[in-house]
Amino acid sequence: MLDDEPFILKLIGHILADLGCTSVTTCESGAAALAQIGKPEESPELILLDLNMPEMDGLEFVRHLVGRNFTGSLILVSGEDERMQQAAEKLAMAHNITVLGHLHKPATPRGLTELIGKWAAPTQRLPQTEKKVYDAEELRAAIDNGELVNYYQPKVLAASGRVVGVETLVRWQHPVDGLVFPDQFISLAETSGLINDLTRTVLTEAFAQAKAWQDSGLSLLVAVNISMEDLASMDFVDFVVELSAKTGVPPQMMSLEVTESRLMVDLRAPLEILTRLRLKRFKLSIDDFGIGNSSLAQLRDIPFDELKIDQSFVHGACTNEKLWSMFDSCLNLAKQLKLEVVAEGVEDQADWDFVRNRGCDIAQGYFIAKAMPGADISEWIKTWNQSYAESKKRTP
Ligand code: C2E
Ligand code: CA
Ligand code: CA
């Protein structure tokens, strides 16, 4: 336990002893605490940390923990307000330190018990496997060899549970490494000039899949992620229009999700391309709204049909005041602009109840379903409709 106030150390020390903690060391300064963490076998399993301390403050202490490869867990106990505590928690987690939570002073036995109950020995945690880094040549070959496959994640109406569409999420079916997720190759594609070919491959397959669903009587709006880099040349409009004509999938059934991943210097081409696509009746969606560069300026300039509230404002919003207000602001903005609103990252029952109660139009997330191969969608819809109808019967 690290706190500059001896009184607090004493108080929490008693609580910990009552909770059955057998080996508790208290320190009044960061320097004294660091002296205890020298050797791995002596390193504490859990540190209770104050934020506001003279000399070395709690955040600086966390930085030293990182430098010492601390593998234990952390609980913040401080007098700082909720926002400060959350920020400190985020920061420590960004450094890959396990944070069990935070407590406001004076900490209560109940609060401590609850957080300590979350503790798990480091060996029980999943090992942090290093993600493999691919190079442009490998990705080039993957595109050429048809190793990219589309997965589709359902989007449902929040009010009725009706499945209205899917989002296309690309995967790399790697011959050796298995299924590789897009966070491992999209930015590579964007920086190495491969994104155009990647997007065209994904779009071609998505249109073909949309056509198959259409023919089987399934009406689904199919969304595809588009990079800003795709929107540099007018060829893109022709490519999409031709795909639609060739497959017979009407533009109204295809939606293009756009995020501004990097700052674009010249917005004239993307602006024109998106506006022309909209003119042809393709749907436009602003993705990851609220983070990165998906911004008000884009909303002002581009005729979007749909706004997707980023998952970081959705999951857990019902118990977090700050997220709740941000979610509501995005929602209200979208409603005022008459845009359809999608909540991403609906991960559990609480998220689902929350987005429904707030009046959000569409929900997407693990609570509903993870992305799956296109061939599995129609079977999934049947099961979803059944279990949804049953849950309605239980709680009308
Ligand atoms: P995104 O467009 O924001 O897609 C949503 C991501 O969140 C997907 O990850 C999805 O699997 C994940 N997700 C869905 N529901 C939940 C949930 O309830 N909780 C959590 N924690 N996550 C959820 P995925 O498939 O790994 O895709 C990551 C990103 O890669 C996408 O983010 C998108 O920006 C990009 N991406 C995927 N496919 C393509 C593509 O064909 N072209 C381009 N340019 N980018 C793509
Ligand atoms: Ca998306
Ligand atoms: Ca998104």
Side-chain angles (χ1 to χ4, degrees), residues 156-199:
V156 305
L157 290 183
S160 66
R162 189 158 67 86
V163 184
V164 284
V166 291
E167 173 178 0
T168 310
L169 294 161
V170 67
R171 283 37 187 144
W172 176 357
Q173 187 66 63
H174 195 284
V176 179
D177 302 339
L179 205 61
V180 181
F181 283 74
D183 58 325
Q184 275 172 275
F185 59 87
I186 291 295
S187 45
L188 169 66
E190 286 173 346
T191 50
S192 60
L194 292 172
I195 192 69
N196 253 295
D197 285 346
L198 183 146
T199 304

Side-chain angles (χ1 to χ4, degrees), residues 296-330:
L296 291 173
Q298 277 196 329
L299 262 190
R300 179 195 61 204
D301 298 334
I302 302 171
F304 288 109
D305 302 276
E306 177 186 88
L307 180 149
K308 299 188 82 174
I309 304 180
D310 187 67
Q311 47 182 274
S312 61
F313 303 115
V314 177
H315 176 52
C318 63
T319 54
N320 181 322
E321 230 177 286
K322 194 158 70 170
L323 295 185
W324 185 313
S325 0
M326 291 179 176
F327 179 91
D328 267 2
S329 304
C330 295

Side-chain angles (χ1 to χ4, degrees), residues 23 57 77 93 137 140 146 182 209 228 234 242 270 280 299 307 310 330 340 355 361 370:
S23 163
D57 63 48
V77 187
M93 290 197 290
E137 259 162 61
R140 165 88 271 161
Q209 180 62 69
M228 271 293 175
M234 293 301 148
E242 264 166 40
K280 311 258 184 227
L299 262 190
L307 180 149
D310 187 67
C330 295
E340 200 117 59
V355 302
D361 301 312
K370 289 198 171 174

Side-chain angles (χ1 to χ4, degrees), residues 383-396:
T383 325
W384 165 261
N385 285 344
Q386 257 164 23
S387 58
Y388 191 81
E390 273 158 28
S391 76
K392 285 289 264 204
K393 260 187 254 157
R394 282 199 303 273
T395 47

Side-chain angles (χ1 to χ4, degrees), residues 1-6 9 26-33 53-55:
M1 273 170 60
L2 169 55
D3 198 306
D4 60 307
E5 292 173 75
L9 288 176
T26 59
C27 302
E28 287 180 32
S29 75
M53 297 179 288
E55 293 153 30

Side-chain angles (χ1 to χ4, degrees), residues 153-156 167 308 311 314 342-348 351-352 362-371 380 384:
Q153 187 178 36
K155 290 160 107 172
V156 305
E167 173 178 0
K308 299 188 82 174
Q311 47 182 274
V314 177
V342 181
E344 301 186 290
V346 174
E347 224 171 274
D348 51 33
D351 295 341
W352 170 250
I362 294 170
Q364 181 183 350
Y366 295 163
F367 181 73
I368 300 143
K370 289 198 171 174
W380 176 84
W384 165 261

Side-chain angles (χ1 to χ4, degrees), residues 113-339:
T113 314
E114 197 177 300
L115 289 187
I116 290 177
K118 291 194 198 167
W119 182 83
T123 47
Q124 289 171 252
R125 280 187 223 125
L126 290 175
Q128 290 257 347
T129 40
E130 285 286 312
K131 280 194 175 163
K132 193 169 157 191
V133 179
Y134 296 96
D135 65 35
E137 259 162 61
E138 291 170 288
L139 183 57
R140 165 88 271 161
I143 298 173
D144 293 345
N145 299 337
E147 286 168 21
L148 297 189
V149 288
N150 286 357
Y151 272 48
Y152 300 89
Q153 187 178 36
K155 290 160 107 172
V156 305
L157 290 183
S160 66
R162 189 158 67 86
V163 184
V164 284
V166 291
E167 173 178 0
T168 310
L169 294 161
V170 67
R171 283 37 187 144
W172 176 357
Q173 187 66 63
H174 195 284
V176 179
D177 302 339
L179 205 61
V180 181
F181 283 74
D183 58 325
Q184 275 172 275
F185 59 87
I186 291 295
S187 45
L188 169 66
E190 286 173 346
T191 50
S192 60
L194 292 172
I195 192 69
N196 253 295
D197 285 346
L198 183 146
T199 304
R200 286 172 190 229
T201 307
V202 172
L203 271 169
T204 307
E205 197 183 322
F207 266 96
Q209 180 62 69
K211 168 71 172 155
W213 283 324
Q214 187 177 297
D215 288 349
S216 71
L218 252 184
S219 168
L220 291 173
L221 180 69
V222 178
V224 176
N225 290 287
I226 304 295
S227 286
M228 271 293 175
E229 281 77 3
D230 291 317
L231 306 175
S233 126
M234 293 301 148
D235 294 352
F236 188 73
V237 180
D238 302 331
F239 182 80
V240 179
V241 170
E242 264 166 40
L243 262 181
S244 165
K246 260 200 295 207
T247 54
V249 174
Q252 291 86 338
M253 297 310 282
M254 294 302 286
S255 170
L256 306 175
E257 297 190 3
V258 201
T259 39
E260 199 173 341
S261 50
R262 254 164 294 143
L263 272 181
M264 297 283 290
V265 192
D266 190 351
L267 276 175
R268 281 173 301 183
L271 207 68
E272 179 175 345
I273 292 172
L274 289 174
T275 311
R276 283 186 54 206
L277 284 166
R278 173 74 202 280
L279 203 60
K280 311 258 184 227
R281 301 292 177 257
F282 291 97
K283 296 243 159 72
L284 300 183
S285 169
I286 182 165
D287 204 356
D288 302 337
F289 189 74
I291 63 160
N293 299 306
S294 272
S295 62
L296 291 173
Q298 277 196 329
L299 262 190
R300 179 195 61 204
D301 298 334
I302 302 171
F304 288 109
D305 302 276
E306 177 186 88
L307 180 149
K308 299 188 82 174
I309 304 180
D310 187 67
Q311 47 182 274
S312 61
F313 303 115
V314 177
H315 176 52
C318 63
T319 54
N320 181 322
E321 230 177 286
K322 194 158 70 170
L323 295 185
W324 185 313
S325 0
M326 291 179 176
F327 179 91
D328 267 2
S329 304
C330 295
L331 186 72
N332 289 335
L333 180 65
K335 296 251 165 189
Q336 280 174 25
L337 296 173
K338 306 214 163 32
L339 301 176

